[in-house]
Amino acid sequence: MVVFKQILTLFLCLAWSATIPVSAADITAGEKKAETCGGCHGPKGNSSNPQWPNLAAQQSNYIINQLNAFKNGNRSNPVMQPMAANLADEDIANLAAYYSTQKAEKIGGDPALAKEGKAKASMCLGCHGASAEGNNQFPRLAGQHPEYLVQQLKSFKDGSRKGGPMQAITANLSEEDFKALAAYFGSL
């Protein structure tokens, strides 16, 4: 049964990862547009507040998809929806290009929990990349705030956030699993 779930998870990840081409974007224009984002997401996309995700080194297609989801209401957040509402497609592409080229900083995580999370992380790496660096439309988890990751996993599990195979994956994980995985990914 475990092998079947792993194969099903891999199949769902592969099926969901159809690529969206990124047009030639202007990194300099993205940097200028990102000045508005820095209050929450930090300088160059490295947030100091665990409430807000790091955007530095995030996958371009993932950023594009998430900004469009906020813009069209498919993803709900009272701060991000109005921010994304006024972005043109070109602005979104430029922001994605800018943030994807920035250097991510390590956040860290509880070492004991990180060790436990490393043992569980293989279920995530098929979609999120061998080093959790992200994989096209699947976000970078490496160096992300553990608190932020735990909150997102909870949101997938309770259904308040939608996202392909993530509801199925989180359904069988406990909050302790979430914390361990998040500490591991934060430590990368």
Side-chain angles (χ1 to χ4, degrees), residues 9 12-13 16 62 123-124 127-128 138-139 141 149 152-159 161-173 178 181 185:
T9 299
L12 290 172
C13 288
W16 196 54
Y62 180 76
M123 73 177 104
C124 308
C127 293
H128 293 279
F138 296 100
L141 302 178
L149 290 175
Q152 297 312 300
L153 290 167
K154 286 179 183 179
S155 295
F156 281 120
K157 187 170 186 168
D158 71 21
R161 181 166 179 198
K162 309 290 184 223
M166 287 303 298
Q167 275 80 30
I169 292 168
T170 57
N172 297 315
L173 298 174
F178 293 167
L181 287 165
F185 293 126

Side-chain angles (χ1 to χ4, degrees), residues 33-86:
K33 193 60 130 173
E35 290 172 4
T36 306
C37 311
C40 295
H41 296 288
K44 300 186 184 256
N46 288 294
S47 173
S48 61
N49 184 335
Q51 180 179 2
W52 309 113
N54 289 323
L55 300 178
Q58 190 55 271
Q59 296 289 310
S60 294
N61 283 337
Y62 180 76
I63 292 172
I64 290 169
N65 289 341
Q66 296 311 301
L67 286 173
N68 282 319
F70 286 125
K71 184 176 180 175
N72 66 30
N74 287 337
R75 185 167 175 197
S76 179
N77 180 287
V79 175
M80 284 305 301
Q81 283 177 300
M83 298 296 287
N86 297 316

Side-chain angles (χ1 to χ4, degrees), residues 73-113:
N74 287 337
R75 185 167 175 197
S76 179
N77 180 287
V79 175
M80 284 305 301
Q81 283 177 300
M83 298 296 287
N86 297 316
L87 294 174
D89 290 345
E90 183 179 12
D91 295 330
I92 290 172
N94 293 343
L95 284 165
Y98 170 69
Y99 281 122
S100 69
T101 62
Q102 300 309 298
K103 183 173 172 50
E105 296 175 359
K106 287 188 178 187
I107 295 299
D110 177 273
L113 276 176

